[in-house]
Amino acid sequence: MAETGIRKDKVNMSGKRKEKASVLSQREIAPDIYDMWIATDMATEAKAGQFIGVYTNNPANLLPRPISICEVDRERKALRLVYRIAGKGTAEFAGWQPGQEVLLLGVLGNGFPINEGKGKKAVLMGGGIGIPPMLQLARELSEAGSDVTVITGYRDSRLFLKEDLEKYGKVYVATEDGSVGTKGNVLTVMEKEQIDADVIMACGPMPMLRAIKAYAREKQIAAYISLEERMACGVGACLGCVCKTTHKDAHSHVNNARICTDGPVFDARAVSYTHLRAHET
Ligand code: FES
């Protein structure tokens, strides 16, 4: 593996750990969606909703790519990452074979508040590449005694992770083209199936998160949303991932939060509509 000066540090300025790890397995589970298990000690501390930075082997790319954690196997000390090819970095990851040595930064982010869903009716909503973090979340909530329902939103019939999610609760599918499940989005399913929720936890594209924020406010349901955002440093130093919040930060006295360190999971009430609209794709 090509090494750069920056990669030799065990711990960077943020206190986050860099660790050499190795690929255990890798397969394509849907077009351009890859499922990779990595052996790493980070599995002992990782939890649902957190992410790790994965470095490419190209020395020109000093910054890691943020990838959310799909599943944690503490016994085997392994993390499962399910990611979409979205550029050169992730295209390189997709070519890695078992035994490949990789460099990780982590564990990053705050994760979902499991205590807020403990013993309650928890409805998990994942859209597109926001579905993978729902797997570890479904597992942790079901272990916490929650009644777990998962609503997944896909573009078309090329589903992924559905059987894995079914281990932890009832799974509903929405597709944009109506080829499988309900035609529409995750909230179409919520209304059509008249699903009750004490708490909603979600990850997906901005329009979906914006709609969930509005839905939760109208129905007075607690909601926690994980913001997908372009990130650079991943450790709070570059301010490249700032989002607009409804409350002022106690230290800086501005309506900002860093998604990589204050998030990526936020109480939906704390994220301003301005941010969710401005970052619509
Ligand atoms: Fe640099 Fe969040 S990515 S501050």
Side-chain angles (χ1 to χ4, degrees):
M1 178 182 193
E3 290 257 323
T4 66
I6 199 170
R7 294 175 179 196
K8 287 178 185 142
D9 303 332
K10 275 265 188 262
V11 174
N12 72 5
M13 279 165 59
S14 68
K16 295 295 175 192
R17 202 171 71 231
K18 284 186 185 179
E19 186 188 297
K20 278 190 179 165
S22 65
V23 174
L24 291 171
S25 64
Q26 166 121 268
R27 67 197 174 105
E28 190 176 16
I29 53 173
D32 284 344
I33 308 276
Y34 284 78
D35 178 353
M36 175 165 65
W37 277 99
I38 296 182
T40 165
D41 285 344
M42 288 181 193
T44 56
E45 57 187 290
K47 53 190 181 117
Q50 291 189 296
F51 62 101
I52 56 169
V54 182
Y55 288 91
T56 73
N57 283 329
N58 181 349
N61 296 331
L62 294 182
L63 295 170
R65 300 293 185 276
I67 311 264
S68 58
I69 291 165
C70 172
E71 198 175 351
V72 181
D73 185 335
R74 289 191 215 289
E75 275 174 28
R76 219 168 37 127
K77 287 194 182 167
L79 291 180
R80 184 182 190 183
L81 307 179
V82 171
Y83 60 96
R84 173 181 284 148
I85 295 184
K88 283 188 189 153
T90 39
E92 180 190 320
F93 302 162
W96 289 348
Q97 299 297 319
Q100 168 80 45
E101 195 174 84
V102 298
L103 190 70
L104 308 178
L105 175 67
V107 181
L108 305 174
N110 58 354
F112 282 100
I114 299 302
N115 275 340
E116 299 300 326
K118 205 171 187 167
K120 297 182 183 168
K121 273 186 195 163
V123 176
L124 280 45
M125 300 179 178
I129 206 58
I131 293 169
M134 296 300 114
L135 182 57
Q136 181 64 21
L137 180 59
R139 180 176 168 176
E140 290 182 20
L141 284 170
S142 96
E143 285 169 1
S146 308
D147 174 1
V148 176
T149 299
V150 188
I151 310 177
T152 50
Y154 301 87
R155 218 170 269 163
D156 51 36
S157 61
R158 294 172 291 185
L159 311 186
F160 52 90
L161 295 176
K162 181 171 174 278
E163 287 85 25
D164 298 71
L165 287 162
E166 281 168 346
K167 287 188 243 163
Y168 305 110
K170 179 144 181 65
V171 177
Y172 294 90
V173 172
T175 49
E176 283 173 23
D177 66 0
S179 53
V180 183
T182 300
K183 183 172 173 27
N185 59 39
V186 291
L187 288 175
T188 320
V189 174
M190 195 78 181
E191 297 280 12
K192 183 183 153 209
E193 303 292 339
Q194 300 192 324
I195 298 168
D196 271 342
D198 297 323
V199 58
I200 293 172
M201 298 195 189
C203 184
M206 287 296 183
M208 171 183 141
L209 299 182
R210 194 181 70 221
I212 290 171
K213 175 181 162 80
Y215 180 87
R217 188 167 72 168
E218 187 200 322
K219 306 277 183 192
Q220 301 198 322
I221 302 170
Y224 296 88
I225 54 178
S226 179
L227 302 184
E228 288 183 341
E229 192 71 27
R230 254 182 197 288
M231 286 190 206
C233 71
V235 294
C238 74
L239 303 184
C241 65
V242 160
C243 79
K244 279 259 166 280
T245 54
T246 51
H247 301 99
K248 289 205 190 313
D249 177 89
H251 301 292
S252 60
H253 305 292
V254 291
N255 293 67
N256 279 343
R258 288 164 300 181
I259 293 172
C260 65
T261 46
D262 302 317
V265 180
F266 293 91
D267 183 324
R269 290 170 302 183
V271 183
S272 87
Y273 279 113
T274 319
H275 179 83
L276 296 172
R277 229 184 319 265
H279 290 70
E280 213 167 275
T281 49

